[in-house]
Amino acid sequence: MLLSRFPRVSLAHLPTPMEYMPRLSEHLGGPEIYVKRDDCTGLGTGGNKTRKLEFLIADAQKKKANVVITQGAVQSNHARQTAAAAAKVGMQCELIFEKRVTDASDAYLKSGNVFLDQLFGANIREVEKGSDMNEEMDEVANELIRKGLTPYIIPGGGSNPIGALGYVDCALEIIAQANQENIVIDTIVHATGSAGTQAGLVVGAKAMNSNIPILGIGVNVEKKLQEDKVYQLACETSEYMGLPGIINREDVVANCDYVGEGYGISTQSMNEAILMLARYEGLLFDPVYSGKGLAGMIDLIKKDYFEGQKNIVFIHTGGSAGLFAYHDILKTQ
Ligand SMILES: *Cc1c(COP(=O)(O)O)cnc(C)c1O
């Protein structure tokens, strides 16, 4: 496997640090917990989408695109990192937001990620909840073609085999760091949504024969749907890399018990997890993804899911730029 065969632009600060969390580990009394700081990828306040965008933007450039189109929720971290990446390489950026959250606060609609999108110069369009977002992107693409532009569509979350290469690379990075620091990693845990992060990690861990289980904590749909989505993308990604057939269905494990009432809707355990990490480690997590991922990891430690395991790694996928959009739903006490 040679990732350098695939076109790539440099957007992220890599490798991101992998840090031990002594106070959290002691407080929870389970395995030693490390955090892989993908919130520190650097671009436009960082996050996991930047790794994917290194490959997606390179593909867009190869296809001579001068405008990228993507979609998400109003507070999409993916949209914000795409807007920053487009600015950095001199492309126009069109964002389509689905008004997924009803009764949204002023802060949600104007602050956090969406404010940064505007700073990065992206054009923003909004569509109603339940719209077919792929169709919406196609329509915008056709409109731009009529104007003489060359658009490139990036799927929601940057999750296709090209974007997932970013997390194949992250798996290699984690394994290299573990070898260097002499840490035996028993499980990697992270929040899973549009599936590209987990799919890439599963492929990378498998291709390296590392035997490290990857546990995705769902933030959206139920377990079977989430696992099927990740499995399908992992298979497509391994095929795209010239390694067909290396992924088994049981390599893909998601726990979707921590979603609560739905995507973006806060839960008490998420709120407690965010406070715990802020107060034990001085780290910032977001309510939609990384906070729910953490809530899952913390509860599973309490339930002895990791019994007999010495070291686990939580991948901090970012999202803290959105925090200010949620100050009214997050309790600080
Ligand atoms: C997008 C995102 C995720 C989920 O990653 P996917 O590749 O979409 O599964 C997790 N955490 C944060 C902060 C994100 O923005």
Side-chain angles (χ1 to χ4, degrees), residues 48-49 52 77-78 157 159 191-197 286 289-290 317-319:
N48 64 338
K49 304 313 181 303
K52 303 178 183 182
N77 301 304
H78 163 66
S159 286
T192 178
S194 68
T197 300
D286 79 292
Y289 292 97
S290 57
T317 41

Side-chain angles (χ1 to χ4, degrees), residues 8 22 79 89 163 197-198 305 307:
R8 181 174 185 176
V89 300
T197 300
Q198 189 168 7
Y305 174 91
E307 207 191 336

Side-chain angles (χ1 to χ4, degrees), residues 307-325:
E307 207 191 336
Q309 301 195 9
K310 205 165 168 311
N311 304 300
I312 63 176
V313 174
F314 185 83
I315 303 181
H316 189 334
T317 41
S320 58
L323 266 181
F324 300 99

